Amino acid sequence: MVYRGNEPVDRIILKDMEFYGYHGVLPEEQRLGQPFVVDVELFLDLAPAGRSDDPESTIDYARVFRVVEEVVTGPPCRLIEAVAERVAAAVLKEFPVAEVLVRVKKPAAPVPGRFEHMAVEVRRRR
């Protein structure tokens, strides 16, 4: 794997995946649901895939999407921190990556005021 300092450099990025889930502290959030937007960055050595041009030597992006979708549309959490943690754990369990960065955005958070989204980000290593 290629590193810059202690950080792996190669990564696969799935950005702005949209799902409908039932996460939130308020009862209405868990009853009515709302959209969630998720970014996932997978850190791994991409040199073998780049050299071979063989899909078997990399990660199946569609499978990553399905794993994230299962978590976000699955059993509700009160906190998006818990959603992010579940996504990170599922990705590390399913795929041979050195680490994963997960960002969960809540564009319709029930907070007064104007904003693009509220978000949390977790980064987990093996």
Side-chain angles (χ1 to χ4, degrees):
M1 176 154 335
V2 178
Y3 288 87
R4 181 174 298 124
N6 289 332
E7 301 296 318
V9 175
D10 298 349
R11 59 191 170 145
I12 294 172
I13 302 166
L14 287 82
K15 188 173 172 98
D16 294 333
M17 296 179 284
E18 294 185 27
F19 308 103
Y20 201 84
Y22 295 84
H23 313 288
V25 173
L26 301 175
E28 302 83 40
E29 292 179 288
Q30 291 201 359
R31 187 171 43 82
L32 300 173
Q34 62 192 295
F36 292 86
V37 180
V38 181
D39 303 335
V40 173
E41 297 184 24
L42 310 171
F43 294 82
L44 68 157
D45 185 0
L46 295 176
R51 285 192 293 268
S52 70
D53 196 26
D54 178 4
E56 295 297 318
S57 63
T58 191
I59 303 291
D60 180 344
Y61 304 174
R63 256 184 72 217
V64 176
F65 184 94
R66 287 190 305 271
V67 166
V68 175
E69 180 179 38
E70 286 175 14
V71 172
V72 179
T73 63
C77 299
R78 291 184 303 151
L79 302 175
I80 57 175
E81 290 87 333
V83 176
E85 193 66 37
R86 288 180 183 180
V87 169
V91 168
L92 287 172
K93 179 181 176 190
E94 287 290 319
F95 302 99
V97 299
E99 68 184 84
V100 61
L101 182 140
V102 177
R103 185 177 305 106
V104 178
K105 303 175 215 172
K106 194 172 180 179
V111 175
R114 225 180 122 112
F115 57 89
E116 184 177 320
H117 59 259
M118 304 288 172
V120 300
E121 181 176 287
V122 300
R123 189 170 182 160
R124 300 292 178 260
R125 292 183 177 184
R126 289 208 173 278

